[in-house]
Structure formats: structure tokens, C-alpha cells
Amino acid sequence: MPCSGLGIIRRKPDIKYKDFSEFDGLLPIQKAILNNAKSYVKAGGKLLYSTCTLRKAENEDIVNEFLAQNNDFKLEYSHTFMPHIDGTDGFFCALLIKN
């Protein structure tokens, strides 16, 4: 999924010099990709949404909006991996199951 990449800022420190307002243009793209992907999931199938960012707008907000608009999906699992806690780059994943 295209994202702001803020979870990998230690690997790409130049990200911190970007204008954060540029990142909002990613939201419609993320929504469109997720909405397109749903049509390929069979009943009982799984859809994994993942980004390498820590922004709530690109993570939980996208997933919550998707679930509100698609009641045939449910959230099975989600987690935000934090570098200082999980010892990895920062990223988010949400596993969605189609009813």
C-alpha cells in the first residue's frame, strides 16, 4: 500500500523534511486500493491491509471507514508495530475477514 513511510524514518530520514500536507493525498489512493481489493475476496477469505507508517489517518481511520461501509467484512486482528517497543520498523497491519 502506498503510504507516507513515517514508520521507516530511521532508514529514510529525508522523510521528515517533506510537507506533511502532501501525505493527505495518499488517503484516497489507499481507500481506492482497499475497495478494489475487496472484490477479489471470497466469503471466508482474508484481506490484509498494511502500511509502513504510524499515522492514524492512514491506518485505523482507513480500516474503520472501510468496515463502516462494508458490513460483509469484520476485523480479525490489527496491530501497530512501534520501533521502540517491537524492535522493528514502525508499521500497521489489519486482517479483515469477509463474512
Side-chain angles (χ1 to χ4, degrees):
M1 187 68 60
C3 68
S4 60
L6 295 174
I8 59 168
I9 201 164
R10 69 181 176 168
R11 294 178 194 266
K12 294 186 176 186
D14 55 303
I15 292 172
K16 64 184 167 189
Y17 299 113
K18 287 191 170 227
D19 179 0
F20 277 36
S21 65
E22 293 177 32
F23 299 149
D24 291 334
L26 294 167
L27 302 177
I29 297 167
Q30 292 164 335
K31 292 175 188 178
I33 291 171
L34 187 56
N35 279 305
N36 182 56
K38 76 179 181 185
S39 62
Y40 297 98
V41 181
K42 297 189 292 187
K46 299 175 182 182
L47 176 59
L48 180 67
Y49 177 84
S50 182
T51 65
C52 61
T53 189
L54 302 174
R55 288 183 69 213
K56 185 176 179 279
E58 293 181 70
N59 296 333
E60 293 91 348
D61 291 353
I62 294 278
V63 170
N64 289 336
E65 182 178 328
F66 176 82
L67 291 171
Q69 296 172 354
N70 296 278
N71 58 6
D72 54 336
F73 280 86
K74 67 177 181 179
L75 179 64
E76 177 76 13
Y77 171 84
S78 74
H79 186 72
T80 301
F81 292 84
M82 303 296 281
H84 65 289
I85 296 171
D86 299 298
T88 184
D89 287 334
F91 66 97
F92 171 82
C93 65
L95 183 61
L96 308 168
I97 308 292
K98 187 170 185 179
N99 300 324

